[in-house]
Amino acid sequence: MRRITITAQEDFHPMGLKSAPACCSYSCVMVSLLGLALILPMLFITTAIVKLDSIDNCIDGECYTRGRKMSPTDRADELVTGLLDVPVSVGRQLNEERTGVGGDAVVGEREETIDDLIAQVSELNDDSASVILKLRALVEVHEGKARMAKLQRALYRHFASKGVPKGLHCLSLRLTADYSTNPEANRPLAGPEEISRLTDNSLRHFVLLSDNVLATSVVVNSTVTNAKEPEKVVFHVVTDETTYSAMHAWFALFPPEPATIEVRGVHEMQWLTAAKAPVLDLMENSLALQKLNYGDRILEEAANDPPQVLAAKLQARSPKYISIMNHLRMYLPEVFPELDRIIFLDDDVVVQKDLTGLWEMDMRGKVNAGVETCRGADRFALSKQFRSYFNFSNPLIAEHFAPETCAWAFGLNVFDLKRWRESNITETYHHWQKQNMMLNMTLWRLGTLPPALIAFYGHTLPLDHSWHMLGLGYQPDSSIEVIKSSAVIHYNGPAKPWLDMAFTDFRSYWTRWVDYGNEFVHQCNIFQMR
């Protein structure tokens, strides 16, 4: 700057102005630099603290990455990439804080897809908080849709697996009608010379409890065909009163020669009363409890249940788990008082090899021989321990059993009925069923297997897995090589081989034992499915 001096002399003239000397000396520059050296670090530290705090609270301010301010599109891309790592509830909580009422004032209209949202963000240049809130809302919408789809899938699979196909229903009706009109259909299955074979302990006795005529025929045919000495095979089929006539007519018209077979109805068992079978009283109370706990309210509460819980509740309502046919397997010593040893088969199995080895095996003092389900590559069928069935938060269970105890499966079992009668297995079964009823069914939820695991605790001999392959009704990833090498394959699970929902790759191992040329099968339009 220049200093101008104006004097008040009489002879003043404008051209008489003089410039002042410069005031900007080296000392002034040094003082300025020293001042900046003190001020700038303080400004830098203050700015850094503010920016670091803004990064920790990115939702409330601007987001920075590697020192660069991100555009709305950049922020959306990064949030989409890491979206699954951020809890959905954070967005809802922030929205409530910003609006004060938890509404959609910030979120606005919810886009249908991520692409739509990114396009909108690019056009409107929304701030980061709005982007995050919109993403949270979008995720919540689609999570809800996915969850409802899973619940619907569980419902549909449940009803599809528990229904009776039209062809099987027709088959039962036609056989029942033939039983009433055709003398050949209601003739005795075992003649006078064969009656003694039904109680001959030197023969190989197989027991089957079923109300499915076609499935029973597959089990019987596959067992007899693969037996090295089929003339020594004796089948004992137990069914309910509704199916008895049809089951009898089928095996009367198409006997599995040279094996012997008998069909018995539950209604014929005069000993099966509440006095000798306390489970009948428990069943009546159990039905009332299940209706209370898993009745019509199950659909109202479905939206609040995980799909696995819903599937378990639906399964608990299945007639299979409240049927006397399901409980009757725990009364086999009473059903067959003259027999010492039997091989028990479910009606959803196929026998592929001779089972003489099981009949002749050393039981080592055990009552039951079955395949354990806690060791194996199949995570659906071979990952079952006691924790899979019991509520270990209940002290009554926790005090008596260990959660890592290995479970075993029904489906192929060797039972030493003689030793069973000498034990307290059936009484133990009744005791624990009663305990579960008294505690409002909180010890376990499903069927007879959990109390059977308790009743046979310490009385079970593990079988080699080559005897019994499980899981063909649960998932389609079972090994074809293992299927071919197994003595018995088991379609346990909802995808039964006689249903449309069966897995295509596994169905042929079952259908090969069905005679689709049979007149009754053909009349009921039961065709081989692919």
Coordinates of all heavy atoms in Angstrom, one line a residue, residues 325-379:
M325 N -52.1 -96.7 14.3 CA -51.2 -97.4 13.5 C -49.7 -96.9 13.8 O -48.8 -97.7 13.7 CB -51.5 -97.2 12.0 CG -52.8 -97.8 11.6 SD -52.8 -99.6 11.5 CE -51.7 -99.8 10.2
N326 N -49.6 -95.7 14.1 CA -48.3 -95.2 14.4 C -47.8 -95.6 15.8 O -46.6 -95.9 16.0 CB -48.3 -93.6 14.3 CG -46.9 -93.1 14.3 OD1 -46.0 -93.6 13.6 ND2 -46.7 -92.0 15.0
H327 N -48.7 -95.7 16.7 CA -48.3 -96.2 18.1 C -48.2 -97.7 18.2 O -47.6 -98.2 19.1 CB -49.4 -95.7 19.1 CG -49.3 -94.2 19.3 ND1 -48.5 -93.5 20.1 CD2 -50.1 -93.2 18.7 CE1 -48.7 -92.2 20.1 NE2 -49.7 -92.0 19.2
L328 N -48.8 -98.4 17.3 CA -48.9 -99.9 17.4 C -47.5 -100.5 17.3 O -47.4 -101.6 17.8 CB -49.8 -100.4 16.3 CG -50.4 -101.8 16.5 CD1 -51.3 -101.8 17.8 CD2 -51.2 -102.3 15.3
R329 N -46.6 -99.9 16.7 CA -45.2 -100.4 16.6 C -44.6 -100.6 18.0 O -43.7 -101.4 18.2 CB -44.3 -99.6 15.8 CG -44.0 -98.2 16.3 CD -43.2 -97.4 15.4 NE -43.9 -96.9 14.2 CZ -43.4 -96.2 13.2 NH1 -42.1 -95.9 13.2 NH2 -44.1 -95.8 12.2
M330 N -45.1 -99.9 19.0 CA -44.6 -100.1 20.4 C -45.4 -101.2 21.1 O -45.1 -101.4 22.3 CB -44.8 -98.7 21.1 CG -43.9 -97.6 20.6 SD -42.2 -98.0 20.5 CE -41.8 -98.3 22.2
Y331 N -46.3 -101.9 20.4 CA -47.0 -103.0 21.0 C -46.8 -104.3 20.3 O -47.6 -105.2 20.4 CB -48.5 -102.7 21.1 CG -48.9 -101.5 22.0 CD1 -48.9 -100.2 21.5 CD2 -49.1 -101.8 23.4 CE1 -49.2 -99.2 22.4 CE2 -49.4 -100.7 24.2 CZ -49.5 -99.4 23.7 OH -49.8 -98.4 24.6
L332 N -45.7 -104.4 19.5 CA -45.4 -105.6 18.7 C -45.4 -106.8 19.5 O -45.8 -107.9 19.1 CB -44.1 -105.3 17.9 CG -44.2 -104.3 16.8 CD1 -42.9 -104.1 16.2 CD2 -45.3 -104.6 15.8
P333 N -44.8 -106.8 20.8 CA -44.8 -108.1 21.5 C -46.2 -108.6 21.8 O -46.5 -109.8 21.9 CB -44.1 -107.7 22.8 CG -43.2 -106.6 22.4 CD -44.0 -105.8 21.4
E334 N -47.2 -107.6 22.0 CA -48.6 -108.0 22.3 C -49.3 -108.4 21.0 O -50.2 -109.3 21.0 CB -49.3 -106.9 23.0 CG -48.9 -106.6 24.4 CD -47.6 -105.9 24.6 OE1 -47.1 -105.3 23.6 OE2 -47.0 -105.9 25.7
V335 N -48.9 -107.8 19.9 CA -49.6 -108.1 18.6 C -49.2 -109.5 18.1 O -50.0 -110.2 17.6 CB -49.2 -107.0 17.5 CG1 -49.8 -107.4 16.2 CG2 -49.7 -105.6 18.0
F336 N -47.9 -109.9 18.4 CA -47.4 -111.2 18.0 C -46.8 -111.9 19.2 O -45.6 -112.0 19.3 CB -46.3 -111.0 16.9 CG -46.8 -110.2 15.7 CD1 -46.4 -108.9 15.5 CD2 -47.6 -110.8 14.7 CE1 -46.9 -108.1 14.5 CE2 -48.1 -110.0 13.7 CZ -47.7 -108.7 13.5
P337 N -47.7 -112.4 20.0 CA -47.2 -113.0 21.3 C -46.4 -114.3 21.1 O -45.7 -114.7 21.9 CB -48.5 -113.3 22.1 CG -49.6 -113.3 21.0 CD -49.2 -112.4 20.0
E338 N -46.6 -115.0 19.9 CA -45.9 -116.3 19.7 C -44.6 -116.1 19.0 O -43.8 -117.1 19.0 CB -46.8 -117.2 18.8 CG -48.1 -117.6 19.4 CD -49.2 -116.6 19.0 OE1 -48.8 -115.6 18.3 OE2 -50.4 -116.7 19.4
L339 N -44.2 -115.0 18.6 CA -43.0 -114.8 17.8 C -41.9 -114.3 18.7 O -42.1 -113.5 19.7 CB -43.2 -113.8 16.7 CG -44.3 -114.2 15.6 CD1 -44.3 -113.1 14.5 CD2 -43.9 -115.5 15.0
D340 N -40.7 -114.7 18.4 CA -39.5 -114.3 19.2 C -38.7 -113.2 18.5 O -38.0 -112.4 19.2 CB -38.6 -115.5 19.4 CG -39.2 -116.6 20.3 OD1 -40.2 -116.2 21.0 OD2 -38.8 -117.8 20.2
R341 N -38.7 -113.2 17.2 CA -37.9 -112.2 16.5 C -38.6 -111.8 15.2 O -39.2 -112.7 14.5 CB -36.5 -112.7 16.1 CG -35.7 -111.7 15.3 CD -34.3 -112.1 15.0 NE -33.4 -112.2 16.2 CZ -32.1 -112.2 16.1 NH1 -31.5 -112.3 15.0 NH2 -31.4 -112.2 17.2
I342 N -38.6 -110.5 14.8 CA -39.2 -110.1 13.6 C -38.3 -109.0 13.0 O -37.5 -108.4 13.6 CB -40.6 -109.4 13.9 CG1 -40.5 -108.2 14.8 CG2 -41.6 -110.5 14.4 CD1 -41.8 -107.4 14.9
I343 N -38.5 -108.8 11.7 CA -37.9 -107.7 11.0 C -39.1 -106.7 10.6 O -40.0 -107.1 9.9 CB -37.2 -108.1 9.7 CG1 -36.0 -109.0 10.1 CG2 -36.7 -106.9 8.9 CD1 -35.2 -109.5 8.9
F344 N -39.0 -105.5 11.1 CA -40.0 -104.5 10.9 C -39.6 -103.6 9.7 O -38.5 -103.1 9.6 CB -40.1 -103.6 12.2 CG -41.1 -102.5 12.0 CD1 -42.5 -102.7 12.2 CD2 -40.7 -101.2 11.7 CE1 -43.3 -101.6 12.1 CE2 -41.5 -100.2 11.5 CZ -42.9 -100.4 11.8
L345 N -40.6 -103.4 8.8 CA -40.4 -102.6 7.6 C -41.5 -101.5 7.5 O -42.7 -101.8 7.8 CB -40.5 -103.4 6.3 CG -39.4 -104.5 6.2 CD1 -39.7 -105.4 5.0 CD2 -38.0 -103.9 6.1
D346 N -41.1 -100.3 7.1 CA -42.1 -99.3 6.8 C -42.6 -99.5 5.4 O -42.0 -100.2 4.6 CB -41.5 -97.9 6.9 CG -41.6 -97.3 8.3 OD1 -42.4 -97.8 9.1 OD2 -40.9 -96.3 8.6
D347 N -43.8 -98.9 5.1 CA -44.4 -99.1 3.8 C -43.8 -98.2 2.7 O -44.2 -98.3 1.5 CB -45.9 -98.9 3.9 CG -46.3 -97.5 4.2 OD1 -45.4 -96.6 4.5 OD2 -47.5 -97.2 4.3
D348 N -42.8 -97.3 3.0 CA -42.2 -96.5 2.0 C -40.8 -96.9 1.8 O -39.9 -96.1 1.5 CB -42.3 -95.0 2.4 CG -41.7 -94.7 3.8 OD1 -41.3 -95.7 4.5 OD2 -41.6 -93.6 4.2
V349 N -40.5 -98.2 1.9 CA -39.2 -98.8 1.6 C -39.3 -99.7 0.4 O -40.3 -100.2 0.0 CB -38.6 -99.5 2.8 CG1 -38.6 -98.6 4.1 CG2 -39.3 -100.8 3.1
V350 N -38.1 -99.9 -0.2 CA -37.9 -100.9 -1.2 C -36.8 -101.8 -0.8 O -35.7 -101.3 -0.5 CB -37.7 -100.3 -2.6 CG1 -37.4 -101.4 -3.6 CG2 -38.9 -99.5 -3.0
V351 N -37.0 -103.1 -0.8 CA -36.0 -104.1 -0.5 C -35.2 -104.5 -1.8 O -35.9 -104.9 -2.7 CB -36.5 -105.3 0.2 CG1 -35.4 -106.4 0.5 CG2 -37.2 -104.9 1.5
Q352 N -33.9 -104.4 -1.8 CA -33.1 -104.6 -3.0 C -32.2 -105.8 -2.9 O -31.6 -106.2 -3.9 CB -32.3 -103.4 -3.3 CG -33.2 -102.1 -3.6 CD -32.3 -101.0 -4.1 OE1 -32.6 -100.4 -5.1 NE2 -31.3 -100.6 -3.4
K353 N -32.1 -106.4 -1.6 CA -31.2 -107.5 -1.4 C -31.8 -108.5 -0.4 O -32.8 -108.1 0.3 CB -29.8 -107.0 -0.9 CG -29.0 -106.2 -1.9 CD -27.7 -105.8 -1.3 CE -26.9 -104.9 -2.3 NZ -25.5 -104.6 -1.8
D354 N -31.2 -109.6 -0.4 CA -31.6 -110.6 0.6 C -31.3 -110.2 2.0 O -30.2 -109.7 2.3 CB -30.9 -112.0 0.3 CG -31.3 -113.0 1.3 OD1 -32.5 -113.3 1.4 OD2 -30.4 -113.5 2.0
L355 N -32.3 -110.3 2.9 CA -32.1 -109.8 4.3 C -31.9 -111.0 5.3 O -32.1 -110.8 6.5 CB -33.4 -109.0 4.7 CG -33.7 -107.8 3.8 CD1 -35.0 -107.1 4.4 CD2 -32.6 -106.9 3.8
T356 N -31.4 -112.1 4.8 CA -31.2 -113.2 5.7 C -30.1 -112.9 6.8 O -30.2 -113.3 7.9 CB -30.7 -114.5 4.9 OG1 -31.7 -114.8 3.9 CG2 -30.5 -115.7 5.8
G357 N -29.2 -112.1 6.4 CA -28.1 -111.7 7.3 C -28.7 -111.0 8.6 O -28.2 -111.2 9.7
L358 N -29.7 -110.2 8.4 CA -30.3 -109.5 9.5 C -31.0 -110.5 10.4 O -31.0 -110.4 11.7 CB -31.3 -108.5 9.1 CG -30.8 -107.2 8.4 CD1 -31.9 -106.3 7.9 CD2 -29.8 -106.5 9.3
W359 N -31.7 -111.5 9.8 CA -32.4 -112.5 10.6 C -31.4 -113.3 11.5 O -31.8 -113.7 12.6 CB -33.2 -113.4 9.7 CG -34.1 -114.4 10.4 CD1 -33.8 -115.7 10.6 CD2 -35.3 -114.1 11.1 NE1 -34.8 -116.3 11.3 CE2 -35.7 -115.3 11.6 CE3 -36.0 -112.9 11.2 CZ2 -36.9 -115.4 12.3 CZ3 -37.2 -113.1 11.9 CH2 -37.6 -114.3 12.5
E360 N -30.2 -113.6 10.9 CA -29.3 -114.5 11.6 C -28.3 -113.7 12.5 O -27.4 -114.3 13.1 CB -28.5 -115.3 10.6 CG -29.4 -116.2 9.8 CD -28.7 -117.0 8.7 OE1 -27.5 -116.6 8.4 OE2 -29.2 -117.9 8.1
M361 N -28.3 -112.4 12.5 CA -27.3 -111.6 13.2 C -27.4 -111.8 14.7 O -28.5 -112.1 15.3 CB -27.5 -110.1 12.9 CG -28.7 -109.5 13.5 SD -28.9 -107.7 13.0 CE -27.5 -107.1 13.9
D362 N -26.3 -111.6 15.4 CA -26.2 -111.6 16.9 C -26.7 -110.3 17.4 O -26.0 -109.2 17.2 CB -24.8 -111.9 17.3 CG -24.6 -112.0 18.8 OD1 -25.7 -112.0 19.5 OD2 -23.5 -112.1 19.3
M363 N -27.7 -110.3 18.2 CA -28.2 -109.0 18.7 C -27.5 -108.5 19.9 O -27.7 -107.4 20.4 CB -29.7 -109.2 19.1 CG -30.6 -109.4 17.9 SD -30.9 -107.9 16.9 CE -32.0 -107.0 18.0
R364 N -26.6 -109.3 20.5 CA -25.7 -108.9 21.6 C -26.5 -108.5 22.8 O -26.2 -107.5 23.5 CB -24.7 -107.8 21.2 CG -23.9 -108.2 20.0 CD -23.0 -107.0 19.6 NE -22.3 -107.2 18.3 CZ -21.6 -106.3 17.7 NH1 -21.5 -105.1 18.2 NH2 -21.1 -106.6 16.5
G365 N -27.6 -109.1 23.0 CA -28.5 -108.8 24.2 C -29.4 -107.6 24.0 O -30.1 -107.2 24.9
K366 N -29.3 -107.0 22.8 CA -30.2 -105.8 22.6 C -31.6 -106.2 22.1 O -31.8 -107.3 21.6 CB -29.5 -104.9 21.6 CG -28.1 -104.4 21.9 CD -28.1 -103.6 23.2 CE -26.7 -103.0 23.5 NZ -26.7 -102.2 24.8
V367 N -32.5 -105.3 22.2 CA -33.9 -105.5 21.8 C -34.1 -105.0 20.4 O -34.8 -105.6 19.6 CB -34.8 -104.8 22.8 CG1 -36.3 -105.0 22.3 CG2 -34.7 -105.4 24.2
N368 N -33.5 -103.9 20.0 CA -33.7 -103.3 18.7 C -32.4 -103.1 18.0 O -31.3 -102.8 18.6 CB -34.3 -101.9 18.9 CG -34.4 -101.1 17.7 OD1 -34.6 -101.6 16.6 ND2 -34.3 -99.7 17.8
A369 N -32.4 -103.4 16.7 CA -31.3 -103.1 15.8 C -31.7 -102.1 14.7 O -32.7 -102.4 14.0 CB -30.7 -104.3 15.2
G370 N -31.1 -101.0 14.6 CA -31.5 -100.0 13.6 C -30.3 -99.1 13.2 O -29.3 -99.1 13.9
V371 N -30.4 -98.4 12.1 CA -29.4 -97.6 11.6 C -29.4 -96.3 12.3 O -30.4 -95.6 12.5 CB -29.6 -97.3 10.1 CG1 -28.6 -96.2 9.6 CG2 -29.3 -98.6 9.3
E372 N -28.2 -95.8 12.8 CA -28.1 -94.5 13.5 C -28.1 -93.4 12.4 O -27.7 -93.6 11.3 CB -26.7 -94.5 14.2 CG -26.7 -95.4 15.4 CD -25.4 -95.3 16.2 OE1 -24.4 -94.9 15.6 OE2 -25.5 -95.5 17.5
T373 N -28.7 -92.3 12.9 CA -28.9 -91.2 12.0 C -28.1 -89.9 12.3 O -28.5 -88.8 12.0 CB -30.4 -90.8 11.9 OG1 -30.8 -90.5 13.3 CG2 -31.2 -91.9 11.4
C374 N -27.0 -90.1 13.0 CA -26.1 -88.9 13.4 C -24.8 -88.9 12.7 O -24.0 -88.0 12.9 CB -25.9 -88.9 14.9 SG -24.9 -90.3 15.5
R375 N -24.5 -89.9 11.8 CA -23.2 -89.9 11.1 C -23.4 -90.2 9.7 O -24.1 -91.2 9.3 CB -22.3 -91.0 11.7 CG -22.0 -90.9 13.2 CD -21.2 -92.0 13.7 NE -21.0 -91.9 15.2 CZ -21.8 -92.5 16.1 NH1 -22.9 -93.1 15.6 NH2 -21.6 -92.4 17.3
G376 N -22.9 -89.4 8.8 CA -23.1 -89.6 7.4 C -23.0 -88.3 6.6 O -23.1 -87.2 7.2
A377 N -22.9 -88.4 5.3 CA -22.8 -87.2 4.5 C -24.1 -86.5 4.2 O -24.1 -85.3 3.9 CB -22.1 -87.6 3.1
D378 N -25.2 -87.2 4.3 CA -26.5 -86.7 4.1 C -26.9 -85.8 5.3 O -27.3 -86.3 6.3 CB -27.5 -87.8 3.9 CG -28.9 -87.3 3.3 OD1 -29.2 -86.1 3.6 OD2 -29.5 -88.0 2.6
R379 N -26.9 -84.5 5.0 CA -27.2 -83.5 6.2 C -28.7 -83.5 6.5 O -29.0 -83.0 7.6 CB -26.7 -82.1 5.8 CG -27.4 -81.5 4.7 CD -26.8 -80.2 4.3 NE -27.5 -79.5 3.2 CZ -28.5 -78.7 3.4 NH1 -28.9 -78.4 4.6 NH2 -29.1 -78.1 2.3

